[in-house]
Coordinates of all heavy atoms in Angstrom, one line a residue:
S181 N -109.9 84.7 65.2 CA -110.5 83.6 64.6 C -111.6 82.9 65.4 O -112.5 82.5 65.0 CB -109.3 82.6 64.2 OG -108.5 83.1 63.1
L182 N -111.1 82.7 66.7 CA -112.2 82.1 67.7 C -113.4 83.0 67.8 O -114.5 82.5 67.9 CB -111.6 82.0 69.1 CG -110.4 80.7 69.1 CD1 -110.0 80.7 70.6 CD2 -110.9 79.5 68.6
E183 N -113.3 84.4 67.8 CA -114.3 85.3 68.0 C -115.4 85.2 66.9 O -116.6 85.0 67.0 CB -113.7 86.7 68.1 CG -114.8 87.6 68.4 CD -114.3 89.1 68.4 OE1 -113.1 89.2 68.3 OE2 -115.1 90.1 68.6
W184 N -114.8 85.2 65.7 CA -115.8 85.2 64.5 C -116.5 83.8 64.2 O -117.6 83.6 63.8 CB -115.2 85.8 63.2 CG -114.2 84.9 62.5 CD1 -113.0 85.1 62.4 CD2 -114.6 83.8 61.6 NE1 -112.3 84.2 61.6 CE2 -113.2 83.3 61.1 CE3 -115.8 83.3 61.0 CZ2 -113.2 82.3 60.2 CZ3 -115.7 82.2 60.2 CH2 -114.5 81.8 59.7
W185 N -115.7 82.8 64.5 CA -116.1 81.4 64.3 C -117.2 80.9 65.3 O -118.2 80.4 64.9 CB -114.9 80.5 64.4 CG -115.2 79.1 64.1 CD1 -115.4 78.0 65.0 CD2 -115.4 78.4 62.8 NE1 -115.7 76.9 64.5 CE2 -115.7 77.1 63.0 CE3 -115.2 78.8 61.5 CZ2 -115.8 76.1 62.0 CZ3 -115.5 77.9 60.4 CH2 -115.7 76.7 60.7
R186 N -117.0 81.5 66.5 CA -118.0 81.1 67.6 C -119.3 81.9 67.5 O -120.2 81.5 68.0 CB -117.3 81.1 68.9 CG -116.3 80.0 69.2 CD -115.5 80.3 70.4 NE -114.7 79.1 70.9 CZ -113.8 79.2 71.8 NH1 -113.6 80.3 72.4 NH2 -113.1 78.1 72.1
D187 N -119.2 83.1 67.2 CA -120.2 84.2 67.1 C -121.2 83.9 65.8 O -120.7 84.1 64.7 CB -119.8 85.6 67.2 CG -121.0 86.5 67.4 OD1 -121.7 86.8 66.3 OD2 -121.1 87.0 68.5
E188 N -122.4 83.6 66.1 CA -123.3 83.2 65.0 C -123.4 84.3 63.9 O -123.3 84.2 62.7 CB -124.6 82.8 65.5 CG -125.6 82.4 64.3 CD -126.9 81.8 64.9 OE1 -127.0 81.9 66.1 OE2 -127.8 81.5 64.1
L189 N -123.7 85.5 64.5 CA -123.8 86.7 63.6 C -122.5 87.1 62.8 O -122.5 87.3 61.5 CB -124.3 88.0 64.3 CG -125.6 87.8 64.8 CD1 -126.1 89.1 65.6 CD2 -126.7 87.6 63.7
K190 N -121.4 87.1 63.3 CA -120.1 87.4 62.7 C -119.7 86.3 61.8 O -119.2 86.5 60.7 CB -119.1 87.5 63.9 CG -119.2 88.8 64.6 CD -118.0 88.8 65.7 CE -118.2 90.1 66.6 NZ -117.1 90.2 67.6
R191 N -120.0 85.1 62.2 CA -119.7 83.9 61.2 C -120.5 83.9 60.0 O -120.1 83.7 58.9 CB -120.0 82.6 62.0 CG -119.6 81.4 61.3 CD -119.8 80.0 62.0 NE -121.1 79.8 62.5 CZ -121.5 79.9 63.7 NH1 -120.9 80.2 64.8 NH2 -122.8 79.7 64.1
A192 N -121.8 84.2 60.1 CA -122.6 84.5 59.0 C -122.2 85.6 58.1 O -122.2 85.4 56.8 CB -124.1 84.7 59.5
R193 N -121.7 86.7 58.6 CA -121.3 87.8 57.7 C -120.0 87.3 57.0 O -119.9 87.7 56.0 CB -121.1 89.0 58.7 CG -122.4 89.7 59.0 CD -122.0 91.2 59.5 NE -121.3 91.1 60.7 CZ -121.7 91.1 62.0 NH1 -123.0 91.2 62.2 NH2 -120.9 91.2 63.0
K194 N -119.0 86.8 57.8 CA -117.7 86.5 57.2 C -117.9 85.5 56.1 O -117.2 85.4 55.1 CB -116.8 86.1 58.3 CG -115.3 85.8 57.8 CD -114.3 85.6 58.9 CE -112.9 85.5 58.5 NZ -112.4 86.9 58.1
A195 N -118.8 84.5 56.3 CA -118.9 83.3 55.4 C -120.0 83.6 54.3 O -120.2 82.7 53.6 CB -119.2 82.1 56.2
H196 N -120.6 84.8 54.6 CA -121.7 85.2 53.6 C -122.9 84.0 53.6 O -123.4 83.7 52.6 CB -121.1 85.3 52.1 CG -120.1 86.2 52.0 ND1 -120.3 87.7 52.2 CD2 -118.7 86.2 51.7 CE1 -119.2 88.3 52.1 NE2 -118.2 87.5 51.8
G197 N -123.1 83.6 54.8 CA -124.2 82.6 54.9 C -123.9 81.2 54.4 O -124.8 80.4 54.3
K198 N -122.7 80.9 54.1 CA -122.3 79.7 53.5 C -122.3 78.5 54.5 O -122.5 77.3 54.2 CB -121.0 79.6 52.7 CG -120.9 80.6 51.5 CD -119.4 80.8 51.0 CE -119.4 81.7 49.9 NZ -118.1 81.9 49.4
L199 N -122.0 78.8 55.8 CA -121.8 77.8 56.7 C -123.2 77.4 57.4 O -124.0 78.3 57.6 CB -120.8 78.2 58.0 CG -119.4 78.4 57.5 CD1 -118.6 79.1 58.6 CD2 -118.7 77.1 57.0
P200 N -123.5 76.2 57.6 CA -124.8 75.8 58.2 C -125.0 76.4 59.6 O -124.1 76.4 60.4 CB -124.7 74.1 58.1 CG -123.2 73.9 58.2 CD -122.6 75.0 57.5
S201 N -126.2 76.6 59.9 CA -126.7 77.1 61.2 C -127.0 76.1 62.2 O -127.2 76.4 63.4 CB -127.8 78.1 61.0 OG -128.9 77.4 60.4
D202 N -127.2 74.8 61.7 CA -127.6 73.8 62.6 C -126.4 72.9 63.2 O -126.5 71.8 63.7 CB -128.6 72.8 61.9 CG -127.9 72.0 60.8 OD1 -126.9 72.6 60.3 OD2 -128.4 71.0 60.2
C203 N -125.2 73.6 63.2 CA -124.0 73.0 63.8 C -123.6 73.6 65.2 O -123.9 74.8 65.4 CB -122.9 72.9 62.9 SG -123.1 72.0 61.4
C204 N -122.9 72.9 65.9 CA -122.3 73.4 67.1 C -120.8 73.8 66.7 O -120.1 73.1 66.0 CB -122.2 72.4 68.2 SG -121.5 73.0 69.8
Y205 N -120.5 75.0 66.8 CA -119.3 75.6 66.5 C -118.2 75.8 67.7 O -118.6 76.4 68.8 CB -119.4 76.9 65.7 CG -120.0 76.8 64.4 CD1 -121.4 76.7 64.3 CD2 -119.1 76.7 63.3 CE1 -121.8 76.5 62.9 CE2 -119.7 76.6 62.1 CZ -121.0 76.4 61.8 OH -121.6 76.4 60.5
G206 N -117.0 75.3 67.5 CA -116.1 75.4 68.6 C -114.7 75.8 68.0 O -114.5 75.5 67.0
G207 N -113.7 76.1 69.0 CA -112.3 76.1 68.5 C -111.4 76.3 69.6 O -111.8 76.5 70.8
T208 N -110.0 76.1 69.4 CA -109.1 76.2 70.4 C -107.8 76.7 69.7 O -107.4 76.5 68.6 CB -108.8 74.8 71.2 OG1 -107.9 75.0 72.2 CG2 -108.3 73.8 70.1
E209 N -107.0 77.5 70.6 CA -105.8 78.0 70.1 C -104.7 76.9 70.3 O -104.7 76.1 71.3 CB -105.2 79.1 71.0 CG -103.9 79.8 70.6 CD -103.6 81.0 71.5 OE1 -104.4 81.9 71.7 OE2 -102.4 81.1 71.7
I210 N -103.9 76.7 69.4 CA -102.9 75.6 69.2 C -101.5 76.1 69.4 O -100.6 75.5 70.2 CB -102.9 74.8 67.8 CG1 -104.4 74.1 67.8 CG2 -101.8 73.8 67.9 CD1 -104.6 73.0 68.7
F211 N -101.1 77.2 68.8 CA -99.7 77.7 68.8 C -99.7 79.2 68.3 O -100.4 79.6 67.5 CB -98.9 76.8 67.6 CG -97.6 77.2 67.5 CD1 -96.5 76.8 68.3 CD2 -97.3 78.0 66.4 CE1 -95.3 77.2 68.0 CE2 -96.0 78.3 66.1 CZ -94.9 78.0 66.9
E212 N -98.7 79.9 68.9 CA -98.6 81.3 68.6 C -97.3 81.4 68.2 O -96.3 81.3 69.0 CB -98.9 82.1 70.0 CG -98.7 83.6 69.8 CD -99.1 84.4 71.0 OE1 -100.3 84.7 71.3 OE2 -98.1 84.8 71.6
A213 N -97.0 81.9 67.0 CA -95.7 82.3 66.5 C -95.5 83.9 66.6 O -94.5 84.2 66.9 CB -95.6 81.9 65.0
N214 N -96.6 84.6 66.3 CA -96.5 86.1 66.3 C -97.8 86.7 66.7 O -98.7 86.6 65.9 CB -96.0 86.6 65.0 CG -95.7 88.0 65.0 OD1 -96.1 88.9 65.9 ND2 -95.0 88.5 64.1
P215 N -97.9 87.2 67.9 CA -99.4 87.7 68.3 C -99.7 89.1 67.5 O -100.8 89.4 67.6 CB -99.1 87.9 69.8 CG -97.7 88.2 70.0 CD -97.0 87.3 69.0
R216 N -98.8 89.6 66.9 CA -99.0 91.1 66.3 C -99.5 90.8 64.8 O -99.7 91.8 64.2 CB -97.8 91.8 66.4 CG -97.6 92.3 67.9 CD -96.3 93.1 67.8 NE -95.1 92.6 67.4 CZ -94.3 91.8 68.1 NH1 -94.6 91.5 69.3 NH2 -93.2 91.1 67.5
S217 N -99.4 89.6 64.3 CA -100.0 89.4 63.0 C -100.8 88.2 62.8 O -101.2 87.7 63.9 CB -98.8 89.2 62.0 OG -98.1 88.1 62.3
D218 N -101.0 87.6 61.7 CA -101.8 86.5 61.6 C -100.9 85.2 62.0 O -100.8 84.3 61.1 CB -102.4 86.3 60.2 CG -103.4 87.4 59.9 OD1 -104.0 87.9 60.9 OD2 -103.9 87.5 58.7
G219 N -100.3 85.2 63.0 CA -99.4 84.3 63.4 C -99.8 83.3 64.5 O -98.9 82.8 65.3
T220 N -101.1 83.2 64.8 CA -101.5 82.2 65.8 C -102.4 81.1 65.0 O -103.3 81.3 64.2 CB -102.6 82.9 66.8 OG1 -101.7 84.0 67.4 CG2 -103.0 81.9 67.9
L221 N -101.9 79.9 65.4 CA -102.7 78.6 64.8 C -103.9 78.3 65.6 O -103.8 78.2 66.9 CB -101.7 77.7 64.7 CG -102.1 76.3 64.1 CD1 -102.6 76.4 62.7 CD2 -101.0 75.1 64.3
Y222 N -105.0 78.1 64.9 CA -106.2 77.6 65.6 C -106.7 76.3 65.0 O -106.5 76.1 63.9 CB -107.2 78.6 65.4 CG -106.9 79.8 66.1 CD1 -106.5 81.0 65.5 CD2 -107.2 80.1 67.6 CE1 -106.2 82.2 66.1 CE2 -107.0 81.2 68.2 CZ -106.4 82.4 67.4 OH -106.1 83.5 68.1

Side-chain angles (χ1 to χ4, degrees):
S181 293
L182 290 182
E183 182 181 358
W184 74 260
W185 183 260
R186 287 173 170 167
D187 186 280
E188 184 176 357
L189 293 177
K190 292 179 180 178
R191 185 172 64 246
R193 285 197 297 268
K194 190 174 182 69
H196 304 292
K198 296 175 182 175
L199 295 175
S201 60
D202 61 343
C203 293
C204 180
Y205 288 83
T208 185
E209 181 179 321
I210 298 294
F211 174 79
E212 182 179 277
N214 185 347
R216 294 183 297 278
S217 66
D218 290 343
T220 303
L221 176 65
Y222 295 96

